[in-house]
Amino acid sequence: THKFWETQPVGQFKDIGDTSLPEGPIEPATPLSEVKQEPYNLPSVYEWTTCDMASDDICSEVYNLLRNNYVEDDENMFRFNYSKEFLSGVPARIRVRDEVVKMAEINFLCVHKKLRSKRLAPVMIKEVTRRVHLENIWQAAYTAGVVLPTPITTCQYWHRSLNPKKLIDVGFSRLGARMTMSRTIKLYKLPEAPVTPGFRKMELLDVPAVTRLLRNYLSQFGVATDFDENDVEHWLLPREDVVDSYLVESPETHDVTDFCSFYTLPSTILGNPNYTTLKAAYSYYNVATQTSFLQLMNDALIVSKHKGFDVFNALDVMHNESFLKELKFGPGDGQLHYYLYNYRLRSALKPSELGLVLL
Ligand code: YNC
Ligand code: MG
């Protein structure tokens, strides 16, 4: 049972399959004057702080909390180490079927390891909800590795080795049956440079063309990000050690025909004498119209290998299934569940019906 989540406006397990319930907001918005004006109570000795992420000292404190206490894999071998650039929030627009809904994307929920299982998380969730409501936002999107009421879809991570020797040395992957290290290295070897003519890094002047390409591609998914040009500039314009974006500019027409992107999310390797950091690239948004999707993503692998990443990860969202196996990705063990707060879907989606990647 979920003593907290049962009290929240989210799809409940008992309602799964009940098609009489309407799709859309579960609770209506209320006048802002009716939103609770004071913060929720915390156990004594604790107090709320609003973190000014423009302050280097505060940003470092948040960064260190997460570096030491945020998400680990099931075997506690790796822990996410998000860089400081990721630690800010902006509202998002997410389209659900034909409705574009303003939402908060909730991320980085973290309780210090020494304070776990004391029901602090529900207080934090209620307080962030109150603060989001005061911004006149009534819906949210979030992902988690745990099952809560009720996923809109459940996705799987796939991993493509770029530096197989290191991945095996640190226990991220294992040598396959009847494989030697040198055969494994050969198996994952990639060409020196991208092969698609006109493949280049995205630049500021590409924002309008990339926005058109993405909007057109994302329109086919049941739930997807609704990107405008400002969003594309914020989320996709290349930023060193944060996000990389490439596109194909047709050598003849100079049209932008294809696009691929990935974000940088290293993990700390826990308790390994030889290595401290696993450099991982995560597939973000990709669109192929003229280039084959396979070749486009192979070029993404080539540039990520060149940038020194050890592994390229991708979820089975959008059309990603069509390249995963062929480009030698292997399925991971963890699942990622997607959720909406205060928005009911009539039925769950397939991962391939989702056009949304949260950092
Ligand atoms: C989780 N990840 O089920 P019930 S993902 C949501 N997301 O409630 P306690 C979670 N709820 O089942 P702990 C959750 N994990 O009794 C647990 N819960 O109803 C629920 N880990 O609270 C859980 N970060 O304080 C249970 O548990 C209740 O001390 C138990 O704290 C949990 O960022 C946590 O994985 C996750 O730091 C903070 O374990 C802690 O264990 C931790 O006794 C490592 O809590 C880091 C980690 C989570 C990453 C993420 C998305 C979070 C979404 C939160 C929901 C947002 C709702 C929308 C708000 C805006 C609305 C508007 C409008
Ligand atoms: Mg707790």
Side-chain angles (χ1 to χ4, degrees), residues 111-112 115-122:
V111 168
H112 193 287
L115 299 175
R116 297 279 169 86
S117 305
K118 297 175 186 297
R119 310 300 295 184
L120 277 172

Side-chain angles (χ1 to χ4, degrees), residues 84-261:
K84 291 179 180 173
E85 284 91 338
F86 283 85
L87 308 183
S88 66
V90 295
R93 289 176 323 281
I94 294 177
R95 183 182 50 73
V96 184
R97 319 283 186 202
D98 300 327
E99 304 280 352
V100 176
V101 185
K102 224 174 166 194
M103 297 200 194
E105 292 179 347
I106 305 289
N107 207 343
F108 306 120
L109 174 67
C110 185
V111 168
H112 193 287
K113 284 180 183 244
K114 291 196 171 149
L115 299 175
R116 297 279 169 86
S117 305
K118 297 175 186 297
R119 310 300 295 184
L120 277 172
V123 189
M124 294 177 69
I125 293 167
K126 283 192 282 186
E127 179 62 12
V128 78
T129 303
R130 187 185 73 82
R131 292 181 187 221
V132 169
H133 285 169
L134 288 172
E135 301 290 327
N136 202 20
I137 295 177
W138 305 88
Q139 271 73 33
Y142 50 104
T143 58
V146 293
V147 178
L148 306 164
T150 296
I152 59 163
T153 187
T154 294
C155 302
Q156 197 175 21
Y157 267 113
W158 290 65
H159 310 284
R160 205 298 184 176
S161 300
L162 301 172
N163 185 355
K165 169 135 192 348
K166 175 172 168 184
L167 294 179
I168 291 168
D169 285 351
V170 303
F172 184 88
S173 41
R174 279 183 298 174
L175 210 52
R178 292 178 301 281
M179 284 292 278
T180 62
M181 188 63 84
S182 59
R183 279 184 64 196
T184 305
I185 291 169
K186 202 172 151 202
L187 175 69
Y188 292 114
K189 208 169 156 48
L190 289 160
E192 278 302 308
V195 304
T196 310
F199 186 91
R200 64 164 173 84
K201 203 169 149 164
M202 178 191 174
E203 296 171 30
L204 183 58
L205 58 85
D206 299 314
V207 165
V210 168
T211 305
R212 280 196 300 274
L213 204 59
L214 266 169
R215 289 189 66 81
N216 185 48
Y217 179 64
L218 293 175
S219 67
Q220 67 191 296
F221 303 106
V223 172
T225 312
D226 184 70
F227 277 124
D228 66 17
E229 293 186 4
N230 290 320
D231 302 319
V232 167
E233 184 175 333
H234 177 80
W235 296 104
L236 292 165
L237 196 62
R239 269 198 265 178
E240 179 93 2
D241 298 327
V242 178
V243 62
D244 283 281
S245 297
Y246 293 84
L247 51 78
V248 181
E249 176 181 337
S250 160
E252 290 91 40
T253 65
H254 298 285
D255 286 342
V256 174
T257 55
D258 312 273
F259 176 80
C260 61
S261 58

